[in-house]
Amino acid sequence: MSSSKKIRVLVAKPGLDGHDRGAKIVARALRDAGMEVIYTGLRQTPEMVVSAALDEGVHCIGLSILSGAHNALFPKIMELLKEEGIDDVLVVGGGIIPEDDISELKKAGISAIFGPGTPLDEIVEYIKANVKL
Amino acid sequence: MRDDSKLRDSTKKWEDETVAKTIKRFPEREESFKTISGLPLKRLYTPSDLKDLNYEKDLGFPGQYPFTRGVQPTGYRGRFWTMRQYSGFATARETNQRFHFLLEQGQTGLSIAFDLPTQIGYDSDDQLAQGEVGKVGVAIDTLADMEVLFEGIPLDKVSTSMTINAPASVLLAMYIVVAEKQGVSMDKLRGTIQNDILKEYVARGTYIFPPTPSMRLITDIFKFCSQNMPLWNTISISGYHIREAGSTAVQEVAFTLADGIAYVQAAIDVGLDIDEFASRLSFFFGSHSDFLEEISKFRAARRLWARIMRERFKAKDDNSCKMRFHTQTAGCTLTAQQPDNNVVRVALQALQAVLGGTQSLHTNSRDEALSLPTEESVQIALRTQQIIAHESGVGDTVDPLAGSFYIESLTNAIEAKAMEYIQKIDDMGGASVAIERGFIQREIHDAAYQFQKSVDETKRIVVGVNKFTVEEEPQFDYLRVNPKAEKEQLTELKKIRTKRDDNQVKHALKVLRDAAESDTNLMPSIIEAVKVYATLGEICGVLREIFGEYRAPDIL
Amino acid sequence: MPVTDLVNGVLSGKRRELARLISLIENDDGDASEALSQLYKHTGKAHIIGVTGPPGSGKSSLVTKLTAEFRKRKNTIGIVCVDPSSPFTGGAFLGDRIRMQEHYLDNEVYVRSMGTRGHLGGLARATSGAVRAIDAFGKDIIFVETVGAGQSEVEVIDIAHTVIVTDVPGSGDDIQAIKAGIMEIADIFVVNKMDISGADKKVTEINTMLDLDPREKAWRPPVMLTNSRSGEGVSELADKILEHLQFLNESGQMEQKGLKRSRDELYELMRYKLTQDLYQKLEGKPEYEAAIKKIAARKEDPYSLAERLIAEFLFSESR
């Protein structure tokens, strides 16, 4: 009867690469774990990602990028989230992201980076455990 | 067809007595075995499985219809496949250096990777290009970049493959003009443009325009090249990206050929004769992990395409029925964990492609699950091909696995199952409609999700990922794209913009616009625009205004 | 966040506060009704347009194009899109974002997606509250896009002033869907022709069906042709939507709609409150559990027990 709280996640592909296999698989796994998933589609600018996150009132943003532009785009997204006053949203990332970029990204506010080969369950559990509802 | 009742009896006897006894003591690892694509496997294949096979009709001879045994009569006994490593990063200057390195190492063809802004028709100084310039390939804004890219490389001596789709006409035009400046006329140019937009909608994502004008750009190229560039491959109909997006082997064959059918039909619809353009169509497949399934896949694809061309499109010329293809080992099978293991994976996948009769091959580098490859890694990848060619001996006889009960059975099965899909797509109204409805995307996505789950549940083992794992130090030795590349590219572009004659550019773009609004072939006006240093972004910008932009349907 | 901050935020046009409020409404939070009750007097200004129709009939594309059209006319826009939640996991893909991309960066367009969370009728339970919040937020026009599963999506008339039913040329099944349920709720039909032929035939089919409707109607739903890819016909559709609004106002139907809506809503809220109340009072009570066992064992019948428990739990002062 009473509708319970649902985790709402924005799965976004910033940057220009079209490799959305990973993003879509993760989106599906999150849905199958009972979350409400909003998928933005390809080629999102940081402004678009943050605007969608703001309107949709999401609790988590999953960013997927394989083009190598993460160092430019991820921190930009974090900055805009702060400007909009929604930096309490959990932000996680995935894709082809070299190991020694990770600490910088974390410093910028990305909570976790999931590289190739991460089991889906691990991502689901991480979000469930860390999201602020 | 021969009577095989005796053989069936003895097979039954073997199963009931010999096998049953063994299984009792040593059960098999699985209750049932399947290929990585999910095709069921028998314990043993015998002549019974091939009793309907007609050698002349179904296999034939190498270089002859239906080309099951290859498109070259002498296989690799005359010439090995083209060893073609896909490369490109940062600026034209740096990529040019890598090209020279690869050619010195014995590579026999060039293959250019472009950065994403180039692939989507944006200049490096576009706001959307921020952070992407030179990242996954070389940045090309104007003819000037292309001139630098091929500096010191005689274009009548190399064949060049360009992974470019939506703006393929523009890059082809630049190549033609660079060659002209070298004194090489376009009828001598050898190479390939990918030019396969349908799979961009499905799997790769670097589309710009909606389907209808995109198909027009493609048929304009077909027409232009059939008159001016007899040695140029006008399209590389690609299954690779479909496979990388998670499809099965059968889906890879089916969806690629369905795309192929759509292109052929589009060309016929604008009045081209099938035998005028079909021999310049080429294909591109992935080489995934299931060794024997992949070999069978290549053979099945070749036979099915030949039959489609002859039976459906009534091609008279045998050359129109030849499926020539490039192969790349599967990037999605590379692991970030224990990356040196990837060398072994790539070796096996490369061997499959050779046994399947590929015309050219790219072997991935071990570090590509982490970043772009270092020079050392690229060298190992290239050496892998050279070892297969020069040491293994597999290229010394043609199609050595033909006649294997298993290989031929699987070849038949893949062909039949792919045909079922093609039939289904035909019933919907062809590949374009199936893509519009999201059918193809959903099929691929379902397969990808199932595969990932089977890995997560360790029903499928990936060595170093879900079994045989070790604690390892993160790897820090990999190629970093020169962080100054973006800035350098912007400076160069700015220089060109001030140096060129803006009136000429304006005029050329006006001519292009008029051509786009009418049904004049676009190639000549694009060549003229390129010559006066109009940028890629300006040219695509004009076309964007007239053709509009494609938006993907939401398929999850 | 305190309710007053939330209310002030919404009234002063802060998207973050609006988004938070809608989340609270979705989660059935107590603060949500408090905030909505404070906001109520600021609502009733927006023109609410429902868009429904079978899957694949181009609802989202149409809403996107209409948004562009009304933006040209300087209207501000809110969009609520509803997608089905999985009955098994409760999860949902809220996919329409992809089509709305061109309006992402337009501050005058607010887009919110919601899952049905088990609610039937083509909307989510929270849709009505969300629309009201966006109304208070000050958007001129609010589009409500239904799930699009077909037959039973008639709930949108309770919310919308103008209902658009979309359809595409092609399969005859669609027409069945329309006949079965959503035919009656349309104020405007839109045949989205895209690249497919047969659009004119579809228009004729719908008109024929309208001719068969014996009821006298002051507004006969027009059948419009659009191409939601090229935008063809969208401007005419926008005109027709405004014409319908004018008709509602001049014919007095707007007032009637308002009264009906208020009556339904009041009743619905009371009913919901009561059931909530009942649920909370019964949940886990030994008498309740014992009653269930007795019914299953055929020692008592559910009919009389229902009466008795209601009297005892809901209307007894001592509880």
Side-chain angles (χ1 to χ4, degrees), chain B residues 330-439:
Chain B
C332 64
T333 64
L334 299 176
T335 62
Q337 298 77 2
Q338 304 174 42
D340 284 345
N341 294 345
N342 292 326
V343 175
V344 182
R345 291 190 177 97
V346 168
L348 284 165
Q349 293 167 8
L351 183 57
Q352 283 152 215
V354 170
L355 290 170
T358 193
Q359 273 57 64
S360 60
L361 179 60
H362 166 103
T363 33
N364 288 329
S365 300
R366 57 186 172 173
D367 40 7
E368 287 184 78
L370 302 164
S371 70
L372 288 178
T374 61
E375 215 158 74
E376 192 196 348
S377 300
V378 175
Q379 195 176 46
I380 295 174
L382 181 58
R383 293 287 178 262
T384 305
Q385 295 199 39
Q386 289 160 338
I387 289 168
I388 293 170
H390 298 282
E391 297 183 14
S392 79
V394 293
D396 297 348
T397 184
V398 189
D399 190 26
L401 295 186
S404 146
F405 310 126
Y406 175 61
I407 290 279
E408 297 300 355
S409 299
L410 201 53
T411 304
N412 290 344
I414 292 173
E415 184 188 16
K417 291 223 175 295
M419 199 54 221
E420 278 172 29
Y421 259 124
I422 292 176
Q423 191 63 53
K424 211 181 219 175
I425 291 168
D426 277 342
D427 290 345
M428 283 178 206
S432 299
V433 179
I435 292 167
E436 181 77 47
R437 291 199 194 155
F439 169 75

Side-chain angles (χ1 to χ4, degrees), chain A residues 8 36-37 51 55-56 85, chain C residues 16 92 94 104 110 113 117:
Chain A
R8 287 169 66 87
E36 292 186 340
V37 181
S51 164
D55 278 8
E56 295 287 3
Chain C
R16 182 182 67 156
L94 313 176
Y104 267 23
Y110 177 87
S113 334
R117 300 192 184 180

Side-chain angles (χ1 to χ4, degrees), chain C residues 119-138:
Chain C
H119 189 77
L120 301 172
L123 300 179
R125 218 190 63 77
T127 306
S128 150
V131 167
R132 189 156 280 157
I134 299 171
D135 189 351
F137 186 68

Side-chain angles (χ1 to χ4, degrees), chain C residues 187-208:
Chain C
D187 296 308
I188 298 172
F189 283 99
V190 170
V191 175
N192 203 344
K193 65 180 177 178
M194 300 198 257
D195 294 338
I196 313 161
S197 58
D200 294 335
K201 191 168 154 248
K202 193 74 173 188
V203 173
T204 316
E205 278 173 11
I206 296 173
N207 270 318
T208 310

